Amino acid sequence: MEQFWNITFQLLEGFKENCILFGVTLLVALPLGLLISMGSMSKILPIKAFCRTVVWIIRGTPLMLQLFVVYYIPPLLTDGSFKFSDRLSAAIIAFVINYAAYFSEIYRGGIESIPKGQYEAGYVLGMKKSQIFFKVVLLQVVKRIVAPMSNEIITLVKDTSLARVIAVGEILKNAEQFTKQGLIWPLFYTGAFFLIFCGVLTLLFRFIERRLDYYKG
Amino acid sequence: MAFLEVQNIQKSFGKTEVLKNIGFSLEKGEVLAIIGSSGSGKTTLLRCINFLETPQHGVISVGGEVLFDADDPSKIKEKEIRKNRLHFGMVFQQFNLFPQYTVFDNLVLAPKLLAKEKLKENGAYFGATSYKNAVAAIEAEAAQLLKKVGLTEKSDEYPCNLSGGQQQRVAIARALALHPDVLCFDEPTSALDPELTGEVLNVIKGLKSSDSTMVVVTHEISFAHDVADKVIFMADGVIEEEGTPQQVIENPKSPRTQAFLSRFNQYSD
Ligand SMILES: Nc1ncnc2c1ncn2[C@@H]1O[C@H](COP(=O)(O)OP(=O)(O)OP(=O)(O)O)[C@@H](O)[C@H]1O
Ligand SMILES: [Mg+2]
């Protein structure tokens, strides 16, 4: 029993890294994604082309590869004078870029799905562009993207374990170390941590969806 | 000079010329009905009047004030357009209510935003000099407008819980809440089940008074006949015929008008 709590505690240490990676990624990628989506809908062609190309590259390559690129390319380019002292920072950068790209497409889908008539109704009522966006369109967009966003965010929870490939001391890496002592079960035990975390998120998203259920359309 | 003057409006989308030198005028308190077959440019004309489209040529003025002049760049600035737009109201075929707001909030949203802005700019909004007073006046008027369109008891409902006819009546009240000089309707009953068109047409009929000027695009010929002071028949981007309902609907001179109207008479007579 003591061993169980010991291992639980050590796995929690690792899961803390997963949580930091998750939290920071969410905090930065959500607004950054909005910015990218604005860019990919921009009327200024170079901005639009740039944003869409970035999104294509990020979504078209594995996150694992992106982790390697962020971690190994800067030292190569600077002849070793720049090196991530903290592997987690490298993981955060890769995750933020990757998830911002995915989020931006969800935002874009949501924004483009709002009928033109909503904007026009705002215009003929003398509203400013910004007022139309914040007072009319935004909540409708939020309602439409809660489901795809929650999907993506739950995927993010599980993706954090990928940081292991650049040796971030996250939960799966911790659990693997026990296999050297002949203990396999901690590896499977990590599943419980993810399940609980995702369960809580699922409840949270269901709550948000319910809150927005008061109107249709 | 008439109250509403629309002159030489020309509008093309790419190479297709949709409005070819359209002009008409309307006195205060008059109702203009615009009829015409599909694709003749009726919607585009209303959208030009409401600045949702920018015509390549033309002048629009209300009460002697030029609100739009295609040749005057200062009139096509966004800020100017937003200000001038308030002379007009627009009721869309598809209602376009804001789904996340109650009926009442649909009515007061834009006036409240406008009141805040006007109070900051020149210290007054329709006689109110504080935001609190302005809001009280706006809300009182919204309640009155809902009564006028017969929807007092739907005040706290969301648009998704209303019938199409009720939604369109809300949209009319919402447009009126901003006191437009000219209220435009684009086929206000076309998206409705036949049994619901009457309630909307009756509301529009009820708005007719000495100080509400209206432009109504409609396929309801008998409504146009009974309510309008003036009728325009549009075909292929030009005004084919205009005059009183008696002239245009009862005794059309142009063969195209006759052909168009005969399609309706087959059923109604
Ligand atoms: N944004 C646009 N871009 C290109 N063409 C357009 C656009 N809007 C309208 N048109 C064209 O202009 C013409 C007139 O359209 P409009 O909608 O004004 O006709 P309408 O008289 O309102 O017809 P309906 O009775 O079907 O509503 C049509 O041929 C249409 O295809
Ligand atoms: Mg039309």
Side-chain angles (χ1 to χ4, degrees), chain B residues 10-28:
Chain B
Q10 192 268 333
K11 172 73 188 170
S12 305
F13 293 108
K15 285 207 180 76
T16 34
E17 196 179 20
V18 175
L19 298 177
K20 304 164 186 166
N21 208 22
I22 296 265
F24 65 84
S25 61
L26 204 60
E27 292 301 338
K28 201 177 167 88

Side-chain angles (χ1 to χ4, degrees), chain A:
Chain A
M1 201 58 201
E2 198 189 315
Q3 188 199 32
F4 174 79
W5 288 117
N6 234 334
I7 287 176
T8 303
F9 185 74
Q10 286 196 42
L11 291 181
L12 263 178
E13 278 290 290
F15 200 55
K16 200 180 85 194
E17 302 274 292
N18 296 74
C19 291
I20 294 172
L21 183 52
F22 171 82
V24 177
T25 300
L26 206 56
L27 222 61
V28 184
L30 281 174
L32 183 62
L34 188 59
L35 215 63
I36 297 174
S37 76
M38 298 284 182
S40 56
M41 293 182 290
S42 170
K43 287 198 188 91
I44 306 162
L45 221 59
I47 295 181
K48 180 170 154 169
F50 174 77
C51 288
R52 295 210 170 185
T53 309
V54 168
V55 169
W56 169 62
I57 292 171
I58 300 297
R59 296 206 308 166
T61 55
L63 174 54
M64 199 189 282
L65 178 60
Q66 291 162 15
L67 280 162
F68 286 136
V69 167
V70 170
Y71 187 66
Y72 291 113
I73 298 286
L76 282 177
L77 289 180
T78 58
D79 254 343
S81 63
F82 177 87
K83 208 164 170 286
F84 280 100
S85 55
D86 170 18
R87 289 158 187 273
L88 184 59
S89 311
I92 286 175
I93 291 173
F95 270 71
V96 163
I97 296 173
N98 183 277
Y99 272 84
Y102 277 96
F103 290 160
S104 78
E105 286 296 280
I106 295 178
Y107 287 128
R108 188 167 70 85
I111 292 172
E112 287 180 345
S113 73
I114 303 300
K116 211 172 83 222
Q118 291 289 304
Y119 294 89
E120 294 186 342
Y123 284 134
V124 297
L125 291 169
M127 294 169 73
K128 291 182 205 170
K129 267 197 178 120
S130 59
Q131 291 173 334
I132 293 173
F133 184 76
F134 288 108
K135 300 278 179 184
V136 175
V137 175
L138 188 60
L139 189 74
Q140 296 184 51
V141 172
V142 170
K143 184 175 163 98
R144 282 166 197 229
I145 67 176
V146 177
M149 267 299 178
S150 57
N151 241 334
E152 208 57 58
I153 290 171
I154 282 170
T155 306
L156 170 59
V157 176
K158 294 166 291 174
D159 272 359
T160 55
S161 62
L162 272 179
R164 191 213 157 285
V165 300
I166 54 169
V168 173
E170 54 79 53
I171 187 167
L172 277 178
K173 187 162 181 295
N174 275 8
E176 259 181 325
Q177 274 158 4
F178 292 109
T179 59
K180 287 174 199 140
Q181 306 161 24
L183 288 173
I184 303 285
W185 65 264
L187 201 52
F188 302 114
Y189 178 35
T190 58
F193 293 77
F194 288 102
L195 275 176
I196 291 171
F197 198 158
C198 290
V200 171
L201 282 178
T202 305
L203 290 177
L204 181 69
F205 286 123
R206 197 170 297 160
F207 171 76
I208 296 174
E209 271 183 56
R210 288 245 173 86
R211 284 294 300 266
L212 291 171
D213 230 12
Y214 69 89
Y215 79 90
K216 279 201 279 299

Side-chain angles (χ1 to χ4, degrees), chain B residues 42-44 93 186-187 217:
Chain B
K42 307 178 299 291
T43 296
T44 308
Q93 194 173 342
D186 187 13
E187 299 191 30
V217 170

